[in-house]
Amino acid sequence: MTTGSISSSCRFADYFVICGLDIESGLEPDELSGENFEQSPLRRTFKSKVLAHYPENVEWNPFDQDAVGMLCMPKGLSFRTQTDNRDPQFHSFIITREDGSRTYGFALTFFEEVTSKQICSAMQTLYHMHNAEQYDILHMPPQGPSSDSEPHPSDFSRLQRFNSYDIGRDTLYVSKCICLIAPMAFPQACRQFLEQLHCAATSAQPPPLPLESYVYNILYEVPLPPAGRSLKFSGVYGPVVCQRPGTAELPLFDFPLAEVFVLLGVENMLQLFTCALLEIQILLYSQHYERLMTVAETITALMFPFQWQHVYVPILPASLLHFLDAPVPYLMGLHSNGQQDRTKLELPQEANLCFVDIDNHFIELPEDLPQFPNKLEFIQEISEVLSAFGVSAEGNLSGIDGHGKLQTFQTADLASDKRNGNLASSAFDSYLLRENETIARLQALVRKTGISLDKVSLIAVVLKEKKMGIDRFPKVQCDDEGLKVHQLNVQMREVFTNRFAQMFADYEVFVIQPNQDKESWFTNRDQMQNFDKASFLSDQPEPYLPFLSHFLETQMFASFIDSKILCHDDEDKEHTLRVFDLRVEKIRMLHVRTPTLRSSMYQRCTNIEEANIRMSKIDHTAVHPHLLDMKIGQGRYEPGFFPCLQADVLATPPTSNKWAKRSAPAQWRRKDRQKQHTEHLYLDNDLREKYIQEARNLGTTIRQPKLSNLSPSVIAQANWKFVEGLLKECRNKTKRMLVEKMGREAVELGHGEVSITGVEENTLIASLCDLLERIWSHGLQVKQGKSSLWSHLLHYQENSEKKEATSSTCDENFKTFNEIKTDVGKARAWVRLSMEKKLLSRHLKQLLSDHELTKKLYKRYAFLRCDEEKEQFLYHLLSFCAVDYFCFTNVFTTIMIPYHVWVIPSKKLGGSMFTANPWVCVSGELAETGVLQVPKNTLEITFECQNLGKLTTVQMGHDNAGLYAKWLVECVMVRNEITGHAYKFPCGRWLGKGVDDGSLERVLVGELVSSADSDERPCRTPPMQQSPSMMRRFTTIPPNKLNTGQIQEGVGEAINSIVKHFHKPEKERGSLTVLLCGEYGLVWALEQVFQNGFRSPRLFKNVFIWDFLEKAQVYFDSAQQSPEARVENCQSRFNHFCRFMHAISSNPRNIGKDGKFQMLVCLGARDHLLHHWIALLADCPITVQMYEDTALLRDRSLVNSLIRVLQTLQEFNIMLEPSLIKGIGL
């Protein structure tokens, strides 16, 4: 089928470009390339220029001469002599405009002989000057006392021989580039076309048609392949085949994906992929431009259905190196000269940078990078796919030559491929015969033997061309190698897409649809939540949380959800969304499961199908090249040189091809380009397109560097955009963190919980640390260390010590944090500690108050030197003082921390006469201290131990020594001397024999107090108001003050809190002790149950619940022997209860009767026996004796209700803190 009237197609290529040396302007040093003049002239770079481009302009893609010139030859012109390697080099590049639309370029750089005597003379003059300078260096007097022998007289002659250019002896060559600018990325097809075109220009034999015919054909007569179809068009010597995926397939990707895995290795590749997904700054580094482009395009293609939303420059021209200073996420590629060491590469910021040295197979990752879910299983699946295609991806050089080890696939059957217009053997053989008579005679000889000549012909040609330094024919046809490359690309991308489809199989359930019209929604878009992140994370397996909590905060995920919100119907969906939703739907059908129960079990990709056979079955064939209407003499050029073509012939498109008549206006085509990287062109309504594009731009400050204008004013404008963007990002981050922490607005938006989970909080704070590093690295004069913030802190500390300042922003305790080895880690720890102390804004304000230091460290345009924005930034950070963070305590769990404990006795009774020796034992979520003796004269102690985490309990008591060993304690205060957090452990009880419940020690449950209260530490008298009691017996309240309804409600609330505790991820549950023994906890609730209707005795002063339980135990001990117990199968229940009572009663600890009751409740909850015990006690005759008729325990319906509530604890594995059951061996 020949395409002649395809109205919906676009041109395959928009421009054909020639770049190189402009003879008229001569040699101009490329000052922006960064090269120094100490190099020899042949190693320097000179300015290249766009010599010609055809056509002059197309309205839907205006020609950007500066950008094309920079990217065709990013390092400018290069010169060689006959002794140097001059193999042609192919590379592709991309021009991304500020609106996100892309244009692809494909360039072939080769060397031509310099025929201009003026240029040759200028090069020799440069060499004379260079050699004279080098001679002076060789004869400089030695600097050190020990001098070597004088330079040999022949040194200079050797220098001239090996490091010179002689116009009479040497032939000078200069680089030149031919390039195609195309709307879509077909690198393999473009490479074949350009290589054939170059061969035709440099061959001694003229091509069948003038070069203009082939260029005219690809510019005007070759369309883009329709979606789901393949296309064949003609090169100079053979056909070129390309294909485009269908509407249900993954987007177009034509780069050799296997090469990236061979270059980097699977694990490094997956780490790089993780960095890209988390929008970390990525800098690729290689001597080869095509490797930079291939790695960058591979990474962005594998993250389907998500799209990179930030600065994307796979090949960064030397003139744009200042853009590495950008304080935004970016993916850039930097060219290496092969001689510069990584340690000598000065980068503006490295705190959150992923540096990828492609040539040396090395990747440098930022600290604390979360692991990709199911990483090991994913690596195994990737490796198996590569192994199936014979690719060994170990990150080494073996087999890497152009396209990696996939080259071995075509050795068996390559030449026998004669299907569908691939290069026929007759044409192949005729060209071979014409080129080499010796091979022709060998062919004739071999034919007589009856052996197939296909393989012999191929091997002969390849060997001949390799010897000539030309790799021509393996690319001429679409062979088995091309098909296998395509198959590997498809299968590998399906494996990666399957990972996202598995992780986000239920994502639609958590999308928050706006309840207002689209215009209102978009106006307030940056303040709206579009995805229920908290609920989604609670649904995920715990190993996924570190990665997913970071990923949900990225711009690419927000943009993906925005597209989902704006596309309700399948007809409105973007291609990316439609394809991904089809994959998700297939997974749901294959794996039916409960949506709320997620498993971390790895599920392999089952969507891998055989690659489409379009590469061998041609759907469309383009118009063949033909003679153009050229004047006599046109089209003849000197062999060995690529000429400037006839502009008048290439200026106007044909009028006969209907598909070339673009009926749509240029405005539509420009808008369509914004979605070309989805590879399928659909026309959507203007309003929806505007929403999607602008939603993608939210949160981004500058999409791309401008290549066309590098004036100081433009650079200044870009830096100002950075400043505005950083301030906006700070405002959004602080607001998000406060909303999540405080909870009110989050609840209104649909979140069920008002508290943020630990993983989310850690993610947001890590994101804030990254933002601070980017702010502090913007506009640095001289970079010092990997962390700009920590470097500034050290400078400030040094200045403060010189000035003998009393206050210091850099905490002295950091000198003892031996485990924090890196500057980045220290800076993050400092930020976390300042946030926990609620001093971040104050500390940073103090740090920036040294204006002389700030001017010394930062350029004028830096964010930290923009006074108004800096003040707003500090104001936003000040809002963190409204909430409590434990971001330092929870992260740095092994550091040594000093704690201060002081006991506050009652000022009314027993304080001054107390004679016993007190002790305390402090417990936290991470550890406990053991017994610490407290001086009885001061009742204060300071000690240092490993981080205890959030403090939960204090065990306190005394040894009952002396004449007056009775002690009424109001509370115990404990202060973390690093974070400043103070905890209050209320008591309000006596400790002593014969008083209260006879307890010599108590377990107190703590509560965090405000910084204002903790600052009152010197005053050891209790505060005027009564502290909320967590352990105070309820008998101080008049009997029967709480009715049975209130008691039932209290029990229900206590049980509900425990249930909610266990439904949180394990690392985010906090302390269970508070829910059991704290204020209104389970112990308190059951205490109210047993206090209700308790008979008030007259003979005794106090009767405790434990007295009732002991009497019940005596009854059960005797009842175990009765026949009734055996008949009713109650013996085991009696036995359990009595065994626990005996163990607690015989405990050597003097914890008192209330302490014993608390221990019994905790053990019963742990072993799921509470509901059995309540049933036993309700039926016990002792209950009738000691309780009124109206008591809750004597109401059968209320008891049954209580039992049902307590039974809900059976499904949970309750782990008790050691301090609660110390001394119990059960």
Side-chain angles (χ1 to χ4, degrees):
M1 175 180 174
T2 302
T3 60
S5 57
I6 307 175
S7 59
S8 61
S9 294
C10 304
R11 295 177 184 173
F12 183 87
D14 290 334
Y15 295 98
F16 180 79
V17 186
I18 304 173
C19 297
L21 171 64
D22 186 357
I23 301 296
E24 295 181 1
S25 59
L27 292 182
E28 298 181 61
D30 192 355
E31 299 173 357
L32 295 175
S33 68
E35 301 289 350
N36 59 61
F37 290 97
E38 295 177 1
Q39 293 180 309
S40 64
L42 281 181
R43 297 295 173 261
R44 297 176 193 170
T45 56
F46 299 87
K47 284 184 180 180
S48 63
K49 293 188 177 180
V50 176
L51 303 179
H53 66 276
Y54 316 100
E56 188 65 29
N57 198 43
V58 293
E59 56 179 344
W60 60 89
N61 183 15
F63 187 75
D64 190 339
Q65 181 160 317
D66 293 325
V68 172
M70 283 184 188
L71 293 171
C72 279
M73 307 182 79
K75 297 287 283 187
L77 295 172
S78 298
F79 285 89
R80 299 285 186 271
T81 64
Q82 74 278 0
T83 60
D84 298 313
N85 179 26
R86 304 189 307 281
D87 292 342
Q89 297 292 327
F90 173 83
H91 78 272
S92 44
F93 59 85
I94 189 170
I95 301 175
T96 308
R97 297 179 177 81
E98 288 188 85
D99 62 357
S101 61
R102 295 178 175 180
T103 297
Y104 292 90
F106 307 96
L108 183 71
T109 304
F110 49 90
F111 286 86
E112 289 183 348
E113 182 180 344
V114 178
T115 56
S116 169
K117 299 297 183 183
Q118 181 182 359
I119 299 296
C120 294
S121 300
M123 181 60 69
Q124 185 164 31
T125 302
L126 288 174
Y127 256 104
H128 287 321
M129 296 169 62
H130 175 72
N131 287 337
E133 293 174 2
Q134 294 299 311
Y135 181 79
D136 291 339
I137 294 173
L138 281 172
H139 289 78
M140 284 180 63
Q143 299 292 331
S146 58
S147 61
D148 297 330
S149 58
E150 291 293 325
H152 195 273
S154 63
D155 283 349
F156 186 57
S157 61
R158 288 204 306 271
L159 180 69
Q160 285 182 311
R161 188 181 312 120
F162 294 108
N163 194 23
S164 64
Y165 163 71
D166 188 336
I167 194 171
R169 184 190 68 216
D170 297 321
T171 304
L172 188 65
Y173 296 86
V174 66
S175 58
K176 195 173 202 175
C177 176
I178 53 176
C179 172
L180 283 175
I181 305 296
M184 285 189 177
F186 292 101
Q188 306 308 322
C190 292
R191 179 174 191 159
Q192 293 176 38
F193 177 81
L194 292 174
E195 285 178 345
Q196 292 187 43
L197 202 64
H198 170 247
C199 290
T202 56
S203 173
Q205 298 292 332
L209 295 170
L211 297 181
E212 283 84 353
S213 295
Y214 301 101
V215 174
Y216 185 89
N217 178 250
I218 200 167
L219 287 178
Y220 298 116
E221 296 172 333
V222 177
L224 284 172
R229 295 288 183 267
S230 59
L231 173 73
K232 181 179 74 174
F233 62 93
S234 300
V236 179
Y237 298 112
V240 178
V241 179
C242 59
Q243 65 88 27
R244 184 173 168 189
T247 55
E249 299 175 51
L250 297 177
L252 173 66
F253 180 76
D254 195 36
F255 291 87
L257 191 149
E259 181 179 344
V260 180
F261 285 97
V262 176
L263 283 166
L264 296 177
V266 178
E267 184 167 3
N268 279 347
M269 179 62 182
L270 192 54
Q271 296 281 50
L272 172 59
F273 181 66
T274 305
C275 289
L277 289 173
L278 301 183
E279 297 183 340
I280 289 169
Q281 291 179 330
I282 297 174
L283 184 62
L284 308 176
Y285 194 59
S286 174
Q287 297 182 62
H288 308 279
Y289 293 117
E290 184 61 6
R291 286 184 180 178
L292 294 173
M293 184 69 177
T294 301
V295 172
E297 284 291 286
T298 299
I299 288 296
T300 54
L302 291 179
M303 62 175 57
F304 177 89
F306 307 102
Q307 296 170 8
W308 181 261
Q309 299 292 319
H310 301 278
V311 175
Y312 182 68
V313 189
I315 298 175
L316 186 67
S319 56
L320 285 174
L321 290 182
H322 66 275
F323 212 79
L324 291 172
D325 191 27
V328 293
Y330 59 67
L331 201 166
M332 299 195 203
L334 187 62
H335 184 259
S336 160
N337 58 14
Q339 301 171 351
Q340 192 172 19
D341 186 17
R342 161 70 180 98
T343 57
K344 296 179 182 178
L345 189 64
E346 286 293 334
L347 300 173
Q349 53 179 321
E350 299 181 57
N352 202 41
L353 176 73
C354 175
F355 181 84
V356 185
D357 190 339
I358 299 174
D359 301 335
N360 294 315
H361 331 295
F362 169 74
I363 181 170
E364 189 177 303
L365 298 168
E367 295 181 19
D368 303 324
L369 181 71
Q371 186 168 287
F372 192 82
N374 297 115
K375 177 182 174 183
L376 295 179
E377 295 92 337
F378 194 25
I379 288 176
Q380 179 67 26
E381 185 176 10
I382 294 170
S383 301
E384 289 176 8
V385 173
L386 293 172
S387 298
F389 286 85
V391 180
S392 176
E394 300 297 332
N396 54 49
L397 279 172
S398 58
I400 301 174
D401 185 12
H403 291 276
K405 299 188 177 181
L406 282 177
Q407 287 185 339
T408 59
F409 290 142
Q410 47 85 31
T411 55
D413 304 312
L414 177 63
S416 61
D417 180 17
K418 305 171 185 177
R419 299 168 294 181
N420 299 297
N422 287 344
L423 187 63
S425 59
S426 58
F428 190 90
D429 292 341
S430 62
Y431 185 89
L432 189 63
L433 289 167
R434 188 168 69 244
E435 283 292 292
N436 195 314
E437 295 180 4
T438 304
I439 293 180
R441 288 197 298 273
L442 285 173
Q443 281 186 317
L445 181 64
V446 173
R447 276 200 185 92
K448 294 178 181 178
T449 66
I451 299 175
S452 172
L453 290 171
D454 289 331
K455 296 177 184 178
V456 178
S457 301
L458 173 70
I459 294 170
V461 172
V462 171
L463 289 175
K464 176 178 181 290
E465 300 298 342
K466 287 289 185 184
K467 190 174 181 180
M468 295 172 58
I470 301 172
D471 187 11
R472 196 182 298 176
F473 288 102
K475 304 299 178 188
V476 170
Q477 60 187 7
C478 180
D479 46 41
D480 285 354
E481 177 202 359
L483 183 59
K484 287 183 181 291
V485 169
H486 175 67
Q487 288 178 328
L488 174 56
N489 281 4
V490 171
Q491 291 196 18
M492 187 63 72
R493 294 173 68 205
E494 287 288 0
V495 168
F496 274 77
T497 303
N498 176 65
R499 281 290 80 224
F500 288 121
Q502 297 283 357
M503 283 191 285
F504 294 97
D506 302 312
Y507 82 99
E508 292 176 289
V509 177
F510 303 96
V511 175
I512 302 174
Q513 293 291 346
N515 52 14
Q516 64 264 50
D517 61 90
K518 293 292 174 64
E519 190 72 43
S520 303
W521 174 81
F522 185 77
T523 305
N524 302 305
R525 169 63 194 87
D526 57 344
Q527 302 174 7
M528 298 293 294
Q529 290 289 339
N530 62 0
F531 192 76
D532 189 351
K533 297 173 185 175
S535 299
F536 178 81
L537 289 175
S538 66
D539 186 35
Q540 302 307 307
E542 187 176 342
Y544 290 14
L545 295 180
F547 170 81
L548 285 176
S549 61
H550 282 76
F551 181 68
L552 297 188
E553 300 297 324
T554 60
Q555 186 65 31
M556 71 176 72
F557 182 78
S559 174
F560 175 76
I561 298 299
D562 284 343
S563 299
K564 182 69 177 177
I565 290 174
L566 291 166
C567 306
H568 285 295
D569 304 323
D570 286 343
E571 297 79 26
D572 293 335
K573 285 183 181 178
E574 287 183 312
H575 167 256
T576 299
L577 206 55
R578 184 184 295 108
V579 172
F580 183 68
D581 284 350
L582 286 174
R583 300 293 194 278
V584 167
E585 189 63 32
K586 182 176 288 188
I587 284 177
R588 287 177 181 166
M589 294 174 65
L590 290 174
H591 307 286
V592 179
R593 59 174 178 77
T594 306
T596 56
L597 297 177
R598 294 304 305 267
S599 167
S600 59
M601 183 183 299
Y602 189 83
Q603 296 175 340
R604 288 174 172 266
C605 178
T606 57
N607 199 41
I608 296 179
E609 302 171 355
E610 287 299 316
N612 200 297
I613 59 172
R614 295 188 210 100
M615 302 292 283
S616 56
K617 181 182 179 182
I618 306 303
D619 298 307
H620 301 279
T621 302
V623 174
H624 291 278
H626 50 84
L627 280 172
L628 302 176
D629 186 12
M630 301 175 67
K631 298 176 182 177
I632 297 176
Q634 289 183 334
R636 295 180 181 178
Y637 307 108
E638 184 179 354
F641 295 90
F642 199 96
C644 284
L645 306 179
Q646 300 298 322
D648 56 339
V649 176
L650 300 175
T652 54
T655 57
S656 57
N657 285 353
K658 294 181 181 179
W659 72 267
K661 295 181 179 179
R662 303 179 64 88
S663 57
Q667 182 181 4
W668 176 82
R669 287 191 290 267
R670 283 194 296 271
K671 180 183 69 175
D672 186 66
R673 298 184 62 78
Q674 296 171 357
K675 297 170 62 182
Q676 278 180 359
H677 52 282
T678 63
E679 318 311 310
H680 302 277
L681 310 178
Y682 298 109
L683 180 61
D684 300 305
N685 66 72
D686 293 339
L687 188 62
R688 181 177 159 275
E689 181 62 33
K690 168 195 165 189
Y691 287 157
I692 290 180
Q693 189 57 44
E694 294 191 12
R696 284 178 180 165
N697 290 336
L698 279 171
T700 59
T701 55
I702 182 167
R703 301 281 299 187
Q704 290 298 121
K706 291 183 178 179
L707 303 182
S708 55
N709 188 350
L710 297 176
S711 63
S713 61
V714 171
I715 295 175
Q717 183 182 6
N719 278 301
W720 180 247
K721 285 187 177 181
F722 288 144
V723 170
E724 290 180 325
L726 289 170
L727 183 60
K728 180 180 179 182
E729 187 177 353
C730 177
R731 181 176 65 249
N732 291 339
K733 276 193 191 311
T734 51
K735 181 177 180 181
R736 167 80 198 285
M737 291 172 71
L738 288 172
V739 167
E740 294 286 359
K741 192 72 174 172
M742 300 176 75
R744 293 180 183 176
E745 293 180 54
V747 171
E748 292 174 1
L749 289 170
H751 298 286
E753 291 289 331
V754 298
S755 59
I756 188 174
T757 63
V759 173
E760 285 180 282
E761 179 178 307
N762 197 42
T763 299
L764 293 173
I765 292 174
S767 176
L768 178 68
C769 293
D770 170 45
L771 172 63
L772 294 178
E773 283 290 359
R774 285 189 279 121
I775 288 175
W776 255 259
S777 64
H778 181 236
L780 268 177
Q781 297 275 14
V782 179
K783 181 179 176 299
Q784 297 179 354
K786 287 197 172 184
S787 171
S788 304
L789 175 58
W790 187 250
S791 175
H792 196 168
L793 284 167
L794 293 180
H795 279 104
Y796 179 85
Q797 188 80 348
E798 184 181 351
N799 287 1
S800 299
E801 290 173 357
K802 290 179 180 178
K803 298 175 183 178
E804 297 181 353
T806 55
S807 61
S808 173
T809 304
C810 184
D811 200 299
E812 290 294 328
N813 290 301
F814 272 97
K815 295 179 181 178
T816 63
F817 291 175
N818 296 323
E819 69 178 47
I820 306 174
K821 303 297 184 184
T822 65
D823 288 353
V824 175
K826 291 175 182 177
R828 291 176 178 175
W830 182 88
V831 172
R832 289 177 176 272
L833 179 57
S834 298
M835 286 193 68
E836 192 160 324
K837 297 174 75 171
K838 302 186 178 182
L839 295 173
L840 180 60
S841 180
R842 185 192 302 180
H843 280 175
L844 292 179
K845 185 174 184 179
Q846 182 182 343
L847 178 66
L848 297 173
S849 63
D850 191 340
H851 300 295
E852 292 300 320
L853 177 62
T854 306
K855 289 181 181 179
K856 177 183 175 183
L857 296 178
Y858 291 92
K859 300 172 183 175
R860 181 62 190 90
Y861 63 78
F863 180 94
L864 296 179
R865 292 191 62 185
C866 299
D867 294 335
E868 185 176 342
E869 285 70 24
K870 181 176 66 178
E871 288 299 321
Q872 292 184 52
F873 159 72
L874 294 173
Y875 177 76
H876 291 313
L877 295 183
L878 190 62
S879 59
F880 288 135
C881 295
V883 291
D884 293 315
Y885 282 102
F886 291 87
C887 49
F888 179 85
T889 302
N890 292 338
V891 171
F892 298 94
T893 57
T894 60
I895 61 173
M896 300 299 291
I897 291 182
Y899 293 90
H900 187 88
V901 178
W902 66 102
V903 182
I904 301 177
S906 171
K907 63 181 180 179
K908 295 180 180 179
L909 299 169
S912 59
M913 301 170 61
F914 181 61
T915 58
N917 299 302
W919 57 267
V920 295
C921 176
V922 184
S923 300
E925 293 179 352
L926 302 177
E928 73 170 29
T929 61
V931 174
L932 302 169
Q933 297 296 327
V934 180
K936 58 185 175 182
N937 56 338
T938 61
L939 298 181
E940 293 189 31
I941 181 175
T942 300
F943 62 93
E944 187 176 70
C945 67
Q946 187 171 301
N947 185 2
L948 301 175
K950 292 181 186 177
L951 302 187
T952 54
T953 63
V954 164
Q955 305 163 61
M956 67 164 301
H958 60 78
D959 60 359
N960 201 34
L963 296 175
Y964 191 77
K966 297 178 177 63
W967 195 22
L968 179 60
V969 177
E970 182 67 31
C971 65
V972 178
M973 301 290 294
V974 183
R975 178 185 172 92
N976 182 320
E977 294 297 322
I978 287 184
T979 65
H981 282 313
Y983 296 81
K984 184 176 183 178
F985 298 84
C987 178
R989 302 291 296 273
W990 283 92
L991 285 86
K993 292 291 186 180
V995 64
D996 206 332
D997 64 345
S999 174
L1000 292 184
E1001 62 177 275
R1002 297 193 184 278
V1003 179
L1004 311 180
V1005 181
E1007 58 185 8
L1008 184 68
V1009 298
S1010 65
S1011 57
D1013 293 338
S1014 65
D1015 289 340
E1016 299 175 1
R1017 186 185 59 168
C1019 177
R1020 289 175 48 217
T1021 58
M1024 292 300 295
Q1025 71 275 14
Q1026 189 178 26
S1027 61
S1029 174
M1030 291 187 177
M1031 288 291 300
R1032 189 166 301 167
R1033 279 184 70 242
F1034 208 74
T1035 48
T1036 55
I1037 299 176
N1040 301 326
K1041 184 174 181 181
L1042 291 181
N1043 58 42
T1044 54
Q1046 292 172 321
I1047 293 173
Q1048 284 182 300
E1049 185 179 349
V1051 174
E1053 288 292 332
I1055 297 293
N1056 191 40
S1057 298
I1058 296 174
V1059 172
K1060 291 165 73 175
H1061 168 88
F1062 282 101
H1063 276 91
K1064 295 178 181 178
E1066 187 174 347
K1067 292 184 179 179
E1068 298 157 8
R1069 290 175 181 173
S1071 173
L1072 183 61
T1073 302
V1074 176
L1075 303 180
L1076 292 172
C1077 307
E1079 187 174 22
Y1080 305 119
L1082 182 61
V1083 173
W1084 173 88
L1086 291 180
E1087 195 174 82
Q1088 308 316 304
V1089 171
F1090 285 100
Q1091 288 289 346
N1092 184 258
F1094 205 52
R1095 294 184 190 271
S1096 178
R1098 297 182 181 180
L1099 298 177
F1100 302 100
K1101 209 171 190 180
N1102 282 320
V1103 175
F1104 296 87
I1105 297 172
W1106 189 253
D1107 297 326
F1108 160 69
L1109 296 175
E1110 284 182 327
K1111 289 184 178 183
Q1113 176 200 343
V1114 173
Y1115 170 79
F1116 292 138
D1117 277 335
S1118 60
Q1120 287 185 65
Q1121 310 302 323
S1122 65
E1124 292 81 5
R1126 296 188 182 94
V1127 172
E1128 296 175 9
N1129 200 22
C1130 295
Q1131 188 170 2
S1132 62
R1133 296 183 182 182
F1134 290 167
N1135 185 45
H1136 273 114
F1137 179 77
C1138 294
R1139 187 163 59 92
F1140 277 85
M1141 289 291 294
H1142 281 301
I1144 295 172
S1145 297
S1146 59
N1147 185 1
R1149 295 173 64 189
N1150 296 300
I1151 56 175
K1153 294 181 180 180
D1154 281 347
K1156 291 176 181 179
F1157 174 74
Q1158 174 177 289
M1159 189 177 289
L1160 181 68
V1161 173
C1162 291
L1163 289 170
R1166 183 194 70 180
D1167 294 346
H1168 309 129
L1169 296 172
L1170 286 178
H1171 59 286
H1172 293 309
W1173 293 347
I1174 292 292
L1176 285 177
L1177 292 170
D1179 294 334
C1180 179
I1182 305 299
T1183 305
V1184 178
Q1185 297 174 14
M1186 299 189 68
Y1187 281 88
E1188 304 283 352
D1189 293 340
T1190 58
L1192 189 150
L1193 282 177
R1194 295 186 63 181
D1195 187 324
R1196 175 55 58 183
S1197 64
L1198 294 180
V1199 169
N1200 290 338
S1201 176
L1202 178 62
I1203 290 172
R1204 285 194 297 271
V1205 172
L1206 290 173
Q1207 282 176 332
T1208 58
L1209 297 179
Q1210 285 185 284
E1211 59 183 286
F1212 305 117
N1213 182 25
I1214 296 177
M1215 303 291 292
L1216 299 178
E1217 194 174 304
S1219 62
L1220 298 179
I1221 53 172
K1222 189 177 291 184
I1224 297 294
L1226 294 175

